[in-house]
Amino acid sequence: MSSTARRTAAEARPAPRISVIGTGYLGATHAAAMATLGMATVGYDTDPAKVEALALGKVPFHEPGLDVLLGEQVEAGRLSFTSSLEDAVAASDVHFICVGTPQLATSHGANLSYVESAVTAVAKALTHDALIVGKSTVPVGTAARLRELAAAHAPDGVSVELVWNPEFLREGKAVHDTLHPDRIVIGGAGPAAEATLRTVYAGPIAEGAPVITCDLPTAELVKVSANAFLATKISFINAIAGVCEAAGADVTVIADALGHDPRIGRAFLDAGLGFGGGCLPKDIRALMHRAGELGAHRAARLLQEVDEINMGQRERVVALATQACGGSVLNRRIGVLGAAFKPETDDVRDSPALNVAATLHLRGAQVTVYDPEAADAARRTFPTLGYATSPEEAVGGTDVVLLLTEWPRLVTADPSALAALTLTPRIVDGRGKLDAARWRAAGWEFRGLGRTA
């Protein structure tokens, strides 16, 4: 069948009923998006409190635009939530697996227990033929094993197919990325499953989103390869920042110059504290681990170096703060601007900002943190740090200030007004986003990674 014929057939098919298994960042966003695209959708989670909040249209985390989208779909009756897996499965034809795959406690490998349990439970609960669609990020080879699990646990007489459809959403832009994806990857699908997913994604496809069909291993590798490439790009510019510091060059100018090359691009070329969050660190480590298992040792060594460079940036920022304090942070007051791992989220999982703040605290500094969205999550993670309700409160009476999350309101803050609040106006730009000349003109002693100006 030609691609035109497949598209026409998909548009003519009735919209399938959707279940989304797991309602964290990925699942809640995907469920709201599926309902927005016109499908009756039910989200399932084992956490009754989360289910109750979502059923009331309340998102239990910060993601711009998601609360409005989810509330609209709940009110319209297209989206519901339940803690009964049986009810969710019975009411649906397509089941999206959106549970977490965190790093194992004992190795760099991914913990697949949640995704294995989810697929097994859905298969056991099936009452009619269905399609299971994996969206969780998993090591290559996982989907084939999950396909066997689904077939083994499905009731007699019930047909189940498992395919992989990796997610590419960015925290802070998850709603846009889900409703308007820049590509749709479908792995391991037969003609019927592909037609079903083309119906599910008919809206984005009509907008021009390319559909890439492939086998299961390729689909599994697309997402982790994308994350590994971005992580490598970040670590590359941070490595160059170290050369710049040694040579007296300015990494921000180098990044701008490199960014004009269409083969390279400017995105992800800001030298600074490095990447964190719930995806990139654990995904590159899982790929490193899996590559080693498969004997692809060059890839494993490359990713090991990427990880080491990235983690080294945290210690480098701690060193800059220590230098600013004259060689010791003991009993020094430090203001930290930013706790989330990136702007527009309250996610503090593996946050470089919070890691630096905690390290300085452990070395004897009095650390006060401000973040416009992530303060509560940060306080739960590191309750011994101090927390402010405004940038001014965090900066007041400090020996040094650190910009560690590049929230727009922090990047554009008035340096003159803030300087007057400090004991000594010293700032470490851990994200390469501040105008050094502007801050120096306001009386600040300015330090940045890979910057001489």
Side-chain angles (χ1 to χ4, degrees):
M1 181 182 291
S2 68
S3 59
T4 302
R6 282 198 302 269
R7 184 163 56 251
T8 302
E11 291 170 351
R13 293 166 63 92
R17 300 170 299 171
I18 304 293
S19 80
V20 175
I21 311 302
T23 57
Y25 274 98
L26 168 61
T29 306
H30 191 69
M34 292 294 96
T36 302
L37 293 174
M39 282 153 286
T41 304
V42 55
Y44 163 78
D45 204 283
T46 58
D47 184 346
K50 185 188 294 184
V51 168
E52 182 179 358
L54 291 168
L56 293 173
K58 300 177 181 178
V59 179
F61 51 84
H62 178 70
E63 181 60 42
L66 181 57
D67 53 347
V68 174
L69 192 73
L70 187 141
E72 289 174 347
Q73 297 309 312
V74 169
E75 185 175 352
R78 282 186 293 271
L79 177 60
S80 61
F81 294 90
T82 181
S83 55
S84 169
L85 180 67
E86 291 74 16
D87 289 349
V89 171
S92 307
D93 309 302
V94 179
H95 310 283
F96 285 95
I97 306 299
C98 296
V99 298
T101 53
Q103 185 175 321
L104 286 166
T106 55
S107 76
H108 284 157
N111 182 348
L112 299 176
S113 61
Y114 301 106
V115 71
E116 290 170 353
S117 295
V119 169
T120 300
V122 168
K124 287 181 177 179
L126 290 175
T127 58
H128 55 276
D129 294 352
L131 175 64
I132 297 177
V133 183
K135 292 200 74 68
S136 304
T137 303
V138 296
V140 62
T142 303
R145 187 171 70 256
L146 294 175
R147 178 175 278 181
E148 294 175 356
L149 276 177
H153 289 97
D156 291 339
V158 173
S159 174
V160 58
E161 184 173 357
L162 183 143
V163 302
W164 221 257
N165 169 223
E167 57 88 8
F168 299 101
L169 62 83
R170 297 164 293 174
E171 288 187 37
K173 299 181 180 179
V175 170
H176 177 274
D177 291 349
T178 308
L179 290 175
H180 309 285
D182 51 22
R183 73 278 209 197
I184 298 167
V185 176
I186 301 172
E194 182 183 339
T196 296
L197 286 176
R198 284 180 177 272
T199 301
V200 168
Y201 293 115
I205 291 172
E207 290 181 348
V211 177
I212 300 166
T213 58
C214 56
D215 52 46
L216 286 175
T218 302
E220 291 169 307
L221 277 170
V222 168
K223 172 59 188 296
V224 292
S225 297
N227 278 355
F229 182 83
L230 296 177
T232 301
K233 193 172 181 182
I234 294 167
S235 286
F236 168 81
I237 198 64
N238 281 332
I240 295 300
V243 179
C244 288
E245 290 176 17
D250 192 326
V251 74
T252 60
V253 178
I254 290 174
D256 288 341
L258 291 176
H260 287 293
D261 188 329
R263 299 170 300 174
I264 298 172
R266 184 61 177 82
F268 290 85
L269 277 182
D270 289 315
L273 193 48
F275 57 83
C279 291
L280 257 66
K282 64 100 175 173
D283 285 353
I284 67 164
R285 290 166 191 160
L287 179 56
M288 181 199 316
H289 181 81
R290 185 64 176 138
E293 289 180 334
L294 294 170
H297 298 298
R298 289 181 179 176
R301 289 195 297 270
L302 171 63
L303 294 173
Q304 176 72 30
E305 188 65 24
V306 166
D307 198 14
E308 289 181 2
I309 291 171
N310 185 65
M311 296 303 293
Q313 292 301 102
R314 305 181 185 193
E315 188 56 39
R316 178 66 184 134
V317 171
V318 169
L320 287 176
T322 304
Q323 291 170 13
C325 290
S328 173
V329 297
L330 183 64
N331 294 324
R332 295 300 186 99
R333 294 178 59 83
I334 297 178
V336 169
L337 300 179
F341 85 94
K342 62 181 285 189
E344 303 302 339
T345 181
D346 60 356
D347 194 348
V348 297
R349 291 176 294 173
D350 199 5
S351 168
L354 205 51
N355 179 261
V356 167
T359 299
L360 291 167
H361 170 72
L362 289 173
R363 295 186 183 182
Q366 299 176 46
V367 180
T368 302
V369 179
Y370 168 75
D371 191 287
E373 294 292 343
D376 289 342
R379 187 179 287 106
R380 289 192 295 270
T381 305
F382 288 106
T384 56
L385 295 174
Y387 293 92
T389 58
S390 69
E392 292 76 14
E393 184 183 349
V395 168
T398 56
D399 295 288
V400 65
V401 176
L402 280 60
L403 175 72
L404 301 184
T405 308
E406 63 274 32
W407 288 94
R409 68 173 296 188
L410 301 180
V411 173
T412 59
D414 181 356
S416 296
L418 294 179
L421 303 176
T422 68
L423 292 176
T424 51
R426 304 185 184 108
I427 189 160
V428 174
D429 180 6
R431 289 297 180 182
K433 289 294 187 179
L434 298 180
D435 183 335
R438 178 169 173 255
W439 284 74
R440 286 183 174 128
W444 288 81
E445 182 182 313
F446 184 94
R447 287 175 171 80
L449 294 158
R451 302 176 69 178
T452 58

